[in-house]
């Protein structure tokens, strides 16, 4: 049987398509009433004090660092095992990227070793909830409070996720979500910032649109006026109502989509439990995952092929897969700055072994079965 299972497929139905069509017919395409509605629905769903919609999680992370007052020469700690965006925004501010190693079993920032990374110049820490599983936030918040650091959460993977009964988006000083095409709430390009700090939220609303004062987007509406003021240098980071309309529909089925993802993960867990060529991904008591990723880990000692070949074999069997992540220090830009793989043994260990399998809400049982069959078939064919 020839199958073809993509690595990812967004769950788009007529609801999203009709919502976008309605915005197009309304004559108001960019940030406007739909963005305000999406922010309010999102804020309610998370239970956050404030929610500010932006053009991407990268924009969200950048503005979060601006809000936190991060500047030239400040140090910000990020896990080495994350997407390029988490670190590049630190460089936008002229600050220093301090990479921390991760826990082998969860690929999350190793909170037990966070203290070692803190210097008198450290101003912030950016926990990344890898794959959707929340970091050890109690420990991270305790260290951050004790050492005077701002906590900026990269929650690009973790909508929705819970940490000890609290929603991700209500824990750190400021939290950034992604609505990129492959994320758990997908609008194409978009992001959201949540915070409990009213003054930060107000400034974020201005910073995302050229630093213009209150409700800048209304200036072309009937109730708006031509007059506006620029309070400080801002950015062009606003969301559009086209994206917000998709977001509103996606948010309505967020819990259902999360259940579907969790069911796929549970099916994989059960199928791979007995395979000694595979290493189970870590779990943590009291934390629920958004299941953005299903990270498979290869026991290289039991296999005659490496991770790259494993992915090629999956592809030949019609299964799309990916790797999360290529650690930051492996990129030319960072290695030229002197970051060395030898300083991050756990990240290296994960990088050699990780394969992200397809996981998405619309995945059919037949597709889940197809992925399982392909993985077990490869494991059997190449056992050492
Ligand atoms: C996707 C991603 C981002 C960036 O999200 P965008 O919305 O594409 O800007 C940031 N951090 C992590 C960990 C991501 O996976």
């Amino acid at each position: 049987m020839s199958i073809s299972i993509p690595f990812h497929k967004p769950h788009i139905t007529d609801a999203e398509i009709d919502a976008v069509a309605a915005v197009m017919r309304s004559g108001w395409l960019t940030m406007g009433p739909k963005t305000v509605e999406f922010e309010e629905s999102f804020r309610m769903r998370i239970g956050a004090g404030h929610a500010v919609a932006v053009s991407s999680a990268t924009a969200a992370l950048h503005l979060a660092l601006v809000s936190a007052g991060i500047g030239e020469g400040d140090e910000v700690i990020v896990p080495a095992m994350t997407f390029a965006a988490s670190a590049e925004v630190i460089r936008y501010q002229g600050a220093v990227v301090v990479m921390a190693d991760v826990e082998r079993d969860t690929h999350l920032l190793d909170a037990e070793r966070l203290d070692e990374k803190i210097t008198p110049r450290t101003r912030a820490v950016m926990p990344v909830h890898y794959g959707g599983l929340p970091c050890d936030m109690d420990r991270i918040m305790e260290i951050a409070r004790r050492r005077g650091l701002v906590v900026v959460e990269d929650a690009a993977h973790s909508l929705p996720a819970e940490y000890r009964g609290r929603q991700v988006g209500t824990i750190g000083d400021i939290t950034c979500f992604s609505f990129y095409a492959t994320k758990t709430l997908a609008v194409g390009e978009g992001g959201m910032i949540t915070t409990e700090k009213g003054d930060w939220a107000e400034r974020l609303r201005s910073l995302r649109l050229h630093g213009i004062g209150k409700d800048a987007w209304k200036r072309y509406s009937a109730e708006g006026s031509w007059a506006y003021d620029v309070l400080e240098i801002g950015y062009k980071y606003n969301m559009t109502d086209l994206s917000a309309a998709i977001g509103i529909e996606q948010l309505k089925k967020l819990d259902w989509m999360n259940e579907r993802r969790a069911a796929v993960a549970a099916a994989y867990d059960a199928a791979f439990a007995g395979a000694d060529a595979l290493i189970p991904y870590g779990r943590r008591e009291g934390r629920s995952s958004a299941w953005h990723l299903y990270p498979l880990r290869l026991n290289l000692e039991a296999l005659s092929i490496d991770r790259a070949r494993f992915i090629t074999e999956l592809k030949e069997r019609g299964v799309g897969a990916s790797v999360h992540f290529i650690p930051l220090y492996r990129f030319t830009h960072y290695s030229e700055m002197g970051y060395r793989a030898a300083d991050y043994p756990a990240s290296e260990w994960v990088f050699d072994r990780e394969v992200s399998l397809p996981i998405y809400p619309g995945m059919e049982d037949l597709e889940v079965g197809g992925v399982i069959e392909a993985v077990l078939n490869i494991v059997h064919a190449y056992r050492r």
Side-chain angles (χ1 to χ4, degrees):
M1 184 182 72
S2 158
I3 53 164
S4 178
I5 303 164
F7 174 63
H8 174 75
K9 207 155 63 180
H11 195 269
I12 299 295
T13 64
D14 282 346
E16 285 90 343
I17 294 166
D18 293 346
V20 170
V23 169
M24 298 193 84
R25 291 196 179 92
S26 80
W28 190 286
L29 301 183
T30 189
M31 182 161 63
K34 282 289 163 190
T35 304
V36 174
E37 184 186 333
F38 183 35
E39 286 177 336
E40 184 54 15
S41 310
F42 193 90
R43 190 187 69 75
M44 297 283 286
R45 171 61 182 79
I46 298 296
H50 306 273
V52 179
V54 287
S55 52
S56 69
T58 308
L61 290 165
H62 182 203
L63 292 185
L65 294 184
V66 174
S67 303
I70 304 303
E72 200 74 32
D74 291 339
E75 294 178 2
V76 179
I77 302 170
V78 284
M81 183 59 68
T82 186
F83 183 56
S86 316
E88 77 195 28
V89 296
I90 299 169
R91 299 296 303 136
Y92 291 175
Q93 291 305 99
V96 178
V97 176
V98 176
M99 295 177 198
D101 210 0
V102 295
E103 299 173 345
R104 275 192 192 203
D105 65 333
T106 62
H107 315 176
L108 298 170
L109 179 82
D110 190 346
E112 290 308 316
R113 304 189 55 188
L114 184 56
D115 261 315
E116 294 169 21
K117 292 283 171 183
I118 300 172
T119 77
R121 286 146 72 98
T122 310
R123 296 283 310 280
V125 56
M126 189 189 291
V128 178
H129 307 305
Y130 177 103
L133 185 69
C135 295
D136 185 350
M137 290 309 294
D138 280 348
R139 188 103 181 84
I140 291 169
M141 292 306 292
E142 182 270 309
I143 295 167
R145 291 297 170 254
R146 178 159 47 78
R147 311 285 304 253
L149 313 182
V150 176
V151 177
V152 175
E153 289 177 64
D154 180 338
H157 297 185
S158 51
L159 177 71
E162 270 185 30
Y163 177 85
R164 299 200 169 158
R166 295 157 74 190
Q167 285 288 316
V168 167
T170 63
I171 305 169
D173 294 296
I174 188 161
T175 306
C176 302
F177 295 92
S178 175
F179 309 136
Y180 180 65
T182 62
K183 300 286 161 66
T184 54
L185 187 156
V187 312
E189 301 288 354
M192 191 75 78
I193 308 170
T194 59
T195 181
E196 302 310 305
K197 299 179 194 296
D199 51 338
W200 285 23
E202 194 178 336
R203 186 169 175 221
L204 288 164
R205 291 183 198 287
S206 163
L207 281 172
R208 72 174 158 182
L209 203 60
H210 311 296
I212 291 175
K214 218 166 177 287
D215 285 341
W217 61 267
K218 281 188 184 157
R219 71 190 190 282
Y220 294 117
S221 73
E223 52 184 303
S225 146
W226 58 267
Y228 59 86
D229 190 17
V230 174
L231 306 172
E232 63 177 317
I233 292 301
Y235 303 87
K236 189 66 202 295
Y237 280 171
N238 62 280
M239 180 172 274
T240 76
D241 268 18
L242 293 165
S243 307
I246 304 171
I248 291 165
E249 295 307 320
Q250 292 260 301
L251 195 60
K252 289 179 190 165
K253 60 185 179 187
L254 184 68
D255 291 320
W256 173 82
M257 291 197 293
N258 181 238
E259 281 164 27
R260 290 298 309 149
R261 286 175 177 276
V264 173
Y268 285 158
D269 280 350
F272 304 145
D276 67 349
L278 302 172
I279 303 167
Y281 180 72
R283 295 301 147 86
R284 290 290 185 271
E285 205 57 44
R287 302 185 212 176
S288 78
S289 178
W291 290 112
H292 166 56
L293 300 176
Y294 185 88
L296 190 71
R297 292 116 54 86
L298 307 180
N299 177 7
L300 298 176
E301 286 68 42
L303 291 167
S304 62
I305 56 172
D306 65 7
R307 189 270 315 279
R309 178 72 188 279
F310 197 94
I311 290 181
T312 306
E313 294 289 329
L314 278 174
K315 201 170 174 185
E316 280 169 8
R317 288 163 179 79
V319 174
S322 193
V323 172
H324 294 85
F325 287 96
I326 301 167
L328 295 173
Y329 51 77
R330 282 185 163 255
F331 294 121
T332 302
H333 174 78
Y334 293 105
S335 67
E336 281 177 0
M337 290 175 85
Y339 297 90
R340 292 282 166 268
D343 295 329
Y344 310 96
S347 299
E348 281 293 286
W349 186 91
V350 172
F351 178 62
D352 284 343
R353 291 163 178 79
E354 201 268 346
V355 178
S356 299
L357 292 183
I359 183 165
Y360 45 89
M363 220 173 155
E364 310 277 352
D365 290 347
L366 211 65
E367 294 177 310
V368 178
V371 174
I372 290 170
E373 196 182 312
V375 168
L376 294 178
N377 182 267
I378 298 166
V379 158
H380 189 73
Y382 295 100
R383 78 162 45 258
R384 173 132 62 183

